Amino acid sequence: MIYRAIGSAELSPALFAHFDRRQEVTLCYRRAADGSWCVRPDPFTDDWDAADYAFLVQCLRRTLERGGAVFGAFAEGALKGFCSVEAPPLGSRGQYRDLTSLHVSRELRGQGTGRKLFALAADAARRMGGEKLYISSHSAAETQAFYRGLGCTDASEPDAEHVGREPFDCQLEFSL
């Protein structure tokens, strides 16, 4: 696997031709009435279509235009994972840098690709002056196991925009 920065000129829907986003979700983290997390069945399938990839390309280009970073994991020249970190600060003191994406193609999940991409994102966030990564994370139990296994914790300052956009996401942070 080759890990490297992805430039704006490379970003097109064709870059994702060999990327399989599909995720069969059965268990999700949800907030209980007392505010604690519980895991409960909430089955659904997460997948992207052509319109989703076109929108993703626009978002990743915007990330780069604003000084952020995009990294990819490539196997035999095909993109198999990617992450993005935004440069503009978040939080009351500007302490956060936003990890806006971290995805691994279905056939490579659980093999360390996500950990390596996360490390690249953390290094980029540190170079951008961040103290912490902010993660508005998918609530699937396996996704939460991944992030919490890396040392991510509940965000001390949940970002209202993220919460409003994805109310079922888990708002996390990672100290750099």
Side-chain angles (χ1 to χ4, degrees):
M1 192 75 61
I2 295 173
Y3 297 89
R4 63 173 178 78
I6 296 175
S8 187
E10 293 178 87
L11 288 170
S12 74
L15 179 65
F16 299 91
H18 301 285
F19 185 85
D20 185 358
R21 168 63 184 99
R22 190 173 183 84
Q23 183 177 3
E24 301 289 339
V25 177
T26 54
L27 298 173
C28 293
Y29 273 61
R30 295 290 186 250
R31 285 277 185 197
D34 68 0
S36 65
W37 287 111
C38 63
V39 177
R40 70 171 201 230
D42 193 0
F44 63 95
T45 300
D46 221 354
D47 207 352
W48 292 339
D49 62 18
D52 294 319
Y53 282 107
F55 180 69
L56 172 65
V57 166
Q58 290 176 357
C59 292
L60 295 176
R61 284 184 179 152
R62 183 172 175 253
T63 296
L64 293 174
E65 288 167 3
R66 296 176 64 192
V70 178
F71 297 98
F74 294 84
E76 298 178 10
L79 181 73
K80 294 297 180 178
F82 64 96
C83 65
S84 58
V85 180
E86 305 299 321
L90 289 178
S92 61
R93 299 179 295 100
Q95 71 271 29
Y96 292 118
R97 294 303 176 275
D98 196 0
L99 178 69
T100 45
S101 61
L102 194 160
H103 299 281
V104 175
S105 193
R106 180 167 52 167
E107 74 277 12
L108 291 178
R109 293 180 192 145
Q111 298 180 32
T113 303
R115 286 181 175 275
K116 178 66 175 166
L117 288 168
F118 186 87
L120 290 169
D123 286 344
R126 203 176 290 111
R127 285 192 308 274
M128 292 174 198
E131 297 170 22
K132 298 178 179 187
L133 270 178
Y134 187 91
I135 307 130
S136 184
S137 168
H138 197 293
S139 62
E142 57 270 17
T143 303
Q144 289 305 298
F146 168 76
Y147 282 119
R148 292 175 189 277
L150 292 170
C152 297
T153 59
D154 289 343
S156 56
E157 290 183 25
D159 180 71
E161 186 176 327
H162 281 80
V163 173
R165 193 170 42 240
E166 293 289 345
F168 290 114
D169 274 9
C170 299
Q171 306 303 311
L172 305 173
E173 68 182 30
F174 177 79
S175 292
L176 302 169

